[in-house]
Amino acid sequence: PAIPRRVRVVLELDPSAVIAGEAVHLHQIVSNLVLNAVQALAGRDAGCVRITVTSHAAPQGGGIVELSVADDGPG
């Protein structure tokens, strides 16, 4: 509800990515990052926030999951 209609949110998920953690904490982290990105778009007619989750093989075995939140604001 805090995301204005002028802001498009794009979600790109790697289906093989598995994130271990408490859902409430992960939700809070992603929510804060998205709201910061939306604030960076303030004053613009339109904008985009992109949430990306990818997985990578780790050199020592296992894997690493990368979460990124980016906006197309002026900063």
Side-chain angles (χ1 to χ4, degrees):
I3 299 174
R5 291 187 182 268
R6 64 179 172 71
V7 176
R8 184 171 57 112
V9 177
V10 176
L11 181 60
E12 297 175 352
L13 293 175
D14 179 342
S16 67
V18 177
I19 300 174
E22 292 188 38
V24 69
H25 293 143
L26 293 169
H27 179 269
Q28 188 65 48
I29 291 166
V30 174
S31 294
N32 286 342
L33 291 171
V34 169
L35 289 176
N36 287 346
V38 168
Q39 290 173 352
L41 298 170
R44 297 187 64 190
D45 291 336
C48 179
V49 175
R50 184 172 307 275
I51 305 166
T52 307
V53 177
T54 55
S55 61
H56 309 278
Q60 66 276 19
I64 297 171
V65 174
E66 178 181 355
L67 167 76
S68 66
V69 177
D71 62 76
D72 60 358

